[in-house]
């Protein structure tokens, strides 16, 4: 698993169900959050709602073409969202045209999943500053903006709840004791709450999350502490 990319969201836009599913499985294996769209209309909706870290875009799509999506992203939204085009069009002229539309990379079908993963990682390294966020199962936190969203909707949290969630999401599927959580939140040991106060904040955080979704993100591990359940299953939001 590419640990420095855990929680990075990828939108796969591909009308071929088999290819879309296969790409999603490999992305999941490498720790990415996967979103899907099978046509250009769904792709636009997913982009506006979830703002993924990177877009894997087939050029030949129903309803709205991949080329139109590129133009819309770059010209209308003024977005620098990285785009890797997936296409059967292999000529030099067509590749140059893709780059002119705003693609960051271009991979020709059929392609190996291994090569695709390497290309995704390379593009994300170059554009890391754009996607400073962590996403799991529809829950996204953006540290630079100080905001949390569930399925695209803003979640109103107190400052402590926000920092608590951030710590947990940075350590998915790891059990953190109350003392560990406090040490992450108060790096200079300037603690203003006791260990047991964590329980109250966890309870409030859970209640706010449950109002937006049925997903149980925070798990209590009896006698040990708490764990953020970073569900790495293949995510399909439709």
């Amino acid at each position: 698993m590419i640990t420095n990319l855990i929680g990075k969201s990828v939108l796969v836009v591909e009308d071929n169900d088999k290819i879309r599913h296969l790409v999603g499985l490999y992305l999941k294996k490498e720790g990415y959050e996967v979103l899907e769209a099978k046509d250009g209309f769904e792709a636009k909706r997913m982009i506006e709602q979830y703002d993924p870290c990177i877009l894997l875009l087939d050029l030949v799509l129903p309803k709205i073409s991949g080329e139109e999506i590129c133009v819309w992203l770059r010209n209308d939204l003024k977005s620098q969202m990285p785009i890797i085009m997936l296409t059967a069009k292999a000529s030099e002229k067509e590749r140059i045209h893709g780059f002119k539309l705003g693609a960051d990379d271009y991979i020709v079908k059929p392609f190996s999943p291994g090569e695709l993963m390497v290309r995704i990682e390379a593009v994300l390294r170059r554009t890391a500053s754009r996607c400073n966020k962590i996403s799991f199962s529809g829950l996204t936190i953006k540290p630079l903006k100080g905001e949390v969203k569930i399925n695209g909707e803003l979640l109103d949290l107190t400052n402590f709840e926000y920092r608590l969630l951030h710590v947990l999401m940075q350590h998915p599927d790891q059990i953190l004791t109350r003392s560990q959580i406090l040490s992450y939140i108060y790096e200079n040991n300037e603690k203003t709450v006791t260990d047991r106060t964590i329980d109250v904040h966890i309870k409030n955080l859970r209640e706010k999350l449950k109002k937006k979704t049925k997903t149980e993100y925070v798990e209590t591990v009896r006698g040990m502490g708490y764990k953020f359940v970073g569900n790495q299953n293949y995510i399909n939001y439709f």
Side-chain angles (χ1 to χ4, degrees):
M1 181 177 291
I2 306 170
T3 55
N4 63 319
L5 296 178
I6 286 178
K8 299 302 182 184
S9 53
V10 182
L11 174 57
V12 182
V13 187
E14 168 63 65
D15 63 327
N16 184 301
D17 294 341
K18 184 176 180 180
I19 294 175
R20 191 175 66 250
H21 181 66
L22 180 62
V23 170
L25 287 176
Y26 276 94
L27 286 166
K28 163 206 160 182
K29 183 179 178 181
E30 295 298 331
Y32 293 94
E33 175 84 355
V34 179
L35 302 101
E36 291 183 14
K38 58 182 178 292
D39 60 52
F41 180 79
E42 288 180 341
K44 290 182 71 172
R45 181 173 66 82
M46 298 292 280
I47 288 168
E48 290 180 319
Q49 186 170 1
Y50 295 104
D51 186 28
C53 290
I54 188 168
L55 181 63
L56 304 185
L57 182 65
D58 185 18
L59 289 185
V60 182
L61 293 168
K63 299 182 181 180
I64 303 174
S65 72
E67 293 182 349
E68 290 176 283
I69 294 293
C70 281
V71 172
W72 170 73
L73 260 176
R74 298 298 188 235
N75 296 343
D76 295 345
L77 292 189
K78 307 298 181 184
S79 172
Q80 295 304 309
M81 180 184 300
I83 301 170
I84 297 180
M85 290 184 173
L86 310 177
T87 179
K89 299 178 178 180
S91 72
E92 180 183 13
K93 181 179 179 181
E94 287 163 334
R95 290 199 302 272
I96 291 173
H97 178 60
F99 285 121
K100 285 183 176 180
L101 287 174
D104 295 88
D105 204 349
Y106 194 105
I107 188 166
V108 178
K109 300 177 185 177
F111 53 83
S112 74
E115 180 186 0
L116 178 60
M117 296 305 117
V118 170
R119 288 177 180 265
I120 291 172
E121 187 178 356
V123 170
L124 285 177
R125 278 200 303 268
R126 296 198 302 268
T127 59
S129 61
R130 183 199 171 273
C131 195
N132 189 293
K133 65 182 181 180
I134 307 171
S135 297
F136 289 106
S137 304
L139 177 63
T140 299
I141 188 167
K142 295 183 177 181
L144 293 182
K145 290 187 176 181
E147 69 178 28
V148 177
K149 289 185 177 181
I150 294 183
N151 296 331
E153 294 185 24
L154 279 172
L155 185 65
D156 185 22
L157 299 178
T158 66
N159 182 52
F160 193 90
E161 289 165 354
Y162 170 83
R163 287 187 289 168
L164 177 58
L165 180 61
H166 190 202
V167 167
L168 291 170
M169 290 183 72
Q170 286 178 306
H171 302 84
D173 301 315
Q174 297 179 33
I175 300 172
L176 297 180
T177 67
R178 295 174 180 83
S179 294
Q180 285 176 317
I181 291 171
L182 286 174
S183 69
Y184 283 120
I185 292 177
Y186 296 102
E187 295 180 356
N188 298 321
N189 294 318
E190 297 177 2
K191 300 181 182 180
T192 59
V193 298
T194 64
D195 289 359
R196 287 296 174 181
T197 307
I198 291 291
D199 298 343
V200 176
H201 289 290
I202 287 286
K203 180 177 179 292
N204 293 337
L205 178 60
R206 279 174 169 158
E207 289 178 353
K208 290 183 178 181
L209 291 170
K210 284 182 178 179
K211 286 182 180 179
K212 298 288 185 179
T213 178
K214 295 180 180 179
T215 302
E216 291 286 348
Y217 291 104
V218 182
E219 178 181 317
T220 300
V221 183
R222 190 176 297 277
M224 299 182 71
Y226 296 101
K227 177 172 69 172
F228 181 84
V229 184
N231 184 2
Q232 292 298 317
N233 292 331
Y234 187 64
I235 305 299
N236 185 342
Y237 288 92
F238 298 100

